[in-house]
Amino acid sequence: RKMKRGGGNQPRFNLFRGWPAFPSLLGQGGRPGLRLIIAGGLLLVMTAVMATNYIWTSRQQRQQALLSLRAEAQVITAQFMSMRAFIAAHQDRINYDSQGRFEFKHLNPAAVGKGVADLLRRNSDYSIKQTRLAARDPENAPDAFERQALIRFSREPALKEIFAPDTVNGLPVYRYLLPMYAEEACLECHGEPKGVPDVAGYPREGLHRGELAGALSITVPAERFYAALWTHRMGYLGFTLALLLATVLTLYLLLERLVLRPLTQLQALAVRMGQGDLAVDPERIEAVGEIRELAGEFGAMARQLRRFYEELERRVQERTAALQEANRQLDQANRLQAEFLANMTHEVRTPLTSIIAFTELLLNQVLGETNQEQRQALRDIQESAQQLLTLVNDLLDLTRIEAGRMELHREAVDPLDLLQSCARTVAPLAQAAQLHLEVDVPLELPLIDADPDRLRQVVLNLLSNALKFTPPGGRICLKARAQGEEVTVSVSDTGIGIRPEDQDLIFEKFRQVDGSATRRYRGAGLGLALSRHLVEMHGGRIWVRSRPGEGSTFGFTVPSWRGHRSRLPQPAARG
Ligand code: ADP
């Protein structure tokens, strides 16, 4: 089913097309690839099988050849023994003349045997010899091999023959020895009485029937045999090697074409897909069987991924459009807010400023006499207007900061001047609230890198909080110290303090420790939020340390002015 799916453009499988000149034997990261493992494994296994077969067959061949050599020797021996038996059986006919008189003709089995053997040796490279340890004819005396064999025959009566390789005159031969036992016909010349000369004049050996009389020794030349064996082996070796090569090559070719190549192509596709190219077409891979199916699944996967991807893209586009719309609305809202704030500034700050100015005129009795009571009312009006102005200013600043529209005008600022001026500003208020104000700022402080107006705003805010939350008789301390590349400023009081769980919250806008309690103290919860923003815009940090009932210390850092580390000597008084 799957193979049909891609049927249209699927290339026809061709085993012999498109071979890489040298397919890489190594996989990724230089590790042995499938090709190396398969080629190596095939070669190893096939070589082992073929070598075993070669060795076994060679042995068999040799064994077979030896058996036939032995059979040959056996036939020759049997023939020879038959001839001897025939001569022995007809001795009485041979050794009588035509008148019936005994006449020894020297044609006993041994003599005939020797004569035939001599002729055989002359006519062929085979040789036959009748031998015994105590030979009558010195020509029949045993050589070393035969002597060994005769001794073995006499010791092992069950031994029927001996067949073994040997060398004679430097040439390879096979030796075959057959034991000969004394028979009735032999005893006439070789039996008792021992030592008495027989018909040929040799002393009798005193043998008994069945006793070992000697051996028949045949020497078969083996040179031709070995040469034939060698030719055979070489031929077989050649055949084996050709078979090995053909098998390994065929298997490898099939594997390469049916498995490895399509796998490599699939791998390349997977890499492309991994790099984000989903337009791959695995159906074009030339493969058959399971790998064809794998490629089909791969194609299905790629198409599925493509669908997911398109769906994802469509959704991203939808979301982007929605986001753009939201942004547009937000922009509009921001613009409206900015317009509203600009209007607020104008509509609220301007009348407030004139209220404060006119109240001032009235208080200074420029516009006419005012009595005690009226002046008190005017002071209340002025204070409230001032508070309202501060609130509006804080709100405007905070909004500007959050809209990213606040800019710092930084310069080298002398912290001593700035802090002393702040202290002077709040000094009358501290006095009115019966608080002791202390300033602890050393002369040798480095200049700082700050917007003086904004920094003043922070310090005044911390000081006015301290004044606000410290009961009469308390102490307020404004302190500064140089620390590394920064200057640390702190405002401590002996006021009501802040609970640990509230200490993080108070730096957020509109946060006051206790809404109802704070109603006793005026404020909208903007000062610390604004201070935090301003300090952070300077690249500093702000924090609080406080214990309820014991007092609070607010601290912040400002970076020192680079290149102006040392303060110029300057006469200045301490607060
Ligand atoms: P607010 O205008 O209410 O003072 P702030 O942001 O300046 O607003 O302060 C937030 C809250 O933090 C205050 O309402 C008060 O509860 C607490 N707070 C600030 N400074 C002190 C202080 N020195 N001692 C005790 N509480 C303080």
Side-chain angles (χ1 to χ4, degrees), residues 119-127:
L119 285 174
L120 183 70
R121 194 178 307 125
R122 215 173 301 148
N123 295 334
S124 73
D125 42 11
Y126 286 68
S127 89

Side-chain angles (χ1 to χ4, degrees), residues 396-397 399-411 450-455 457 533-534 537-538:
L396 281 172
D397 283 346
T399 315
R400 230 181 285 152
I401 287 174
E402 284 174 356
R405 275 193 232 126
M406 159 92 67
E407 270 178 30
L408 293 183
H409 303 286
R410 299 177 81 146
E411 55 188 74
D451 179 332
D453 292 339
R454 295 303 174 186
L455 209 63
Q457 207 176 339
H533 278 300
L534 290 174
M537 280 171 74
H538 276 88

Side-chain angles (χ1 to χ4, degrees), residues 58-74:
S58 297
R59 282 237 177 105
Q60 285 300 107
Q61 277 179 353
R62 188 190 157 85
Q63 215 64 32
Q64 211 58 46
L66 278 181
L67 277 179
S68 65
L69 264 190
R70 191 163 79 174
E72 203 173 290
Q74 279 167 339

Side-chain angles (χ1 to χ4, degrees), residues 146-401:
E146 290 160 340
R147 181 178 299 280
Q148 288 288 322
L150 283 165
I151 292 170
R152 275 190 67 195
F153 283 138
S154 65
R155 284 194 193 142
E156 304 167 40
L159 198 60
K160 292 280 177 286
E161 57 183 14
I162 286 177
F163 183 68
D166 191 21
T167 42
V168 173
N169 301 329
L171 292 175
V173 293
Y174 262 90
R175 313 279 307 247
Y176 179 83
L177 275 95
L178 186 80
M180 291 194 297
Y181 298 97
E183 291 169 12
E184 199 56 53
C186 310
L187 297 181
E188 171 115 18
C189 301
H190 298 283
E192 296 286 359
K194 191 175 177 182
V196 177
D198 68 354
V199 65
Y202 291 104
R204 286 189 171 85
E205 283 87 354
L207 287 176
H208 297 99
R209 209 175 151 203
E211 248 180 283
L212 182 71
L216 195 63
S217 164
I218 302 210
T219 304
V220 183
E223 215 182 350
R224 277 199 312 275
F225 159 76
Y226 280 128
L229 207 62
W230 177 252
T231 316
H232 229 100
R233 272 190 191 172
M234 283 302 109
Y236 190 64
L237 185 66
F239 169 73
T240 307
L241 286 180
L243 192 66
L244 177 71
L245 209 71
T247 315
V248 169
L249 262 181
T250 310
L251 283 179
Y252 181 74
L253 189 141
L254 287 175
L255 265 171
E256 166 70 31
R257 199 61 190 81
L258 297 179
V259 179
L260 298 175
R261 214 167 76 113
L263 268 188
T264 311
Q265 290 173 349
L266 265 181
Q267 186 197 19
L269 283 191
V271 168
R272 272 176 57 196
M273 278 173 70
Q275 288 163 352
D277 177 6
L278 292 181
V280 296
D281 184 10
E283 307 280 347
R284 298 190 65 80
I285 289 181
E286 294 178 45
V288 290
E290 284 87 340
I291 302 225
R292 167 92 249 141
E293 301 218 345
L294 180 66
E297 294 297 346
F298 218 78
M301 189 173 86
R303 280 193 297 278
Q304 188 66 27
L305 272 176
R306 235 175 4 238
R307 272 200 294 279
F308 283 150
Y309 188 76
E310 281 158 11
E311 171 67 14
L312 205 70
E313 225 161 54
R314 196 183 57 73
R315 282 196 202 170
V316 167
Q317 270 168 9
E318 271 176 24
R319 294 278 190 287
T320 313
L323 224 67
Q324 275 167 349
E325 174 57 22
N327 267 343
R328 202 187 54 75
Q329 287 173 2
L330 210 68
D331 274 352
Q332 199 178 9
N334 269 344
R335 212 174 46 246
L336 289 177
Q337 191 189 30
E339 276 168 22
F340 167 74
L341 284 172
N343 291 342
M344 274 275 284
T345 315
H346 188 72
E347 300 299 328
V348 179
R349 272 169 69 171
T350 316
L352 268 177
T353 318
S354 31
I355 290 174
I356 292 168
F358 281 113
T359 319
E360 188 76 29
L361 288 179
L362 285 171
L363 270 174
N364 290 343
Q365 310 204 12
V366 177
L367 304 178
E369 286 281 312
T370 45
N371 62 29
Q372 183 72 22
E373 226 172 316
Q374 287 168 328
R375 279 203 297 277
Q376 188 52 46
L378 285 172
R379 267 194 290 275
D380 285 350
I381 291 172
Q382 196 184 30
E383 196 184 330
S384 297
Q386 191 60 52
Q387 275 165 12
L388 203 54
L389 188 61
T390 308
L391 176 65
V392 170
N393 280 339
D394 281 359
L395 199 61
L396 281 172
D397 283 346
L398 206 59
T399 315
R400 230 181 285 152
I401 287 174

Side-chain angles (χ1 to χ4, degrees), residues 391 394 461-470 491-499 502 505-515 517-519 521-531 544 546 551-554:
L391 176 65
D394 281 359
N461 177 41
L462 295 183
L463 281 173
S464 72
N465 273 349
L467 291 173
K468 194 156 64 169
F469 294 106
T470 307
V491 176
S492 321
D493 62 56
T494 55
I496 60 169
I498 307 159
R499 286 178 305 173
D502 294 327
L505 301 179
I506 53 174
F507 290 102
E508 286 169 31
K509 62 178 172 181
F510 303 120
R511 282 299 190 128
Q512 289 168 317
V513 165
D514 175 359
T518 316
R519 292 297 108 218
Y521 310 95
R522 285 180 309 262
L526 288 180
L528 284 179
L530 190 60
S531 299
V544 63
S546 176
S552 316
T553 301
F554 281 84

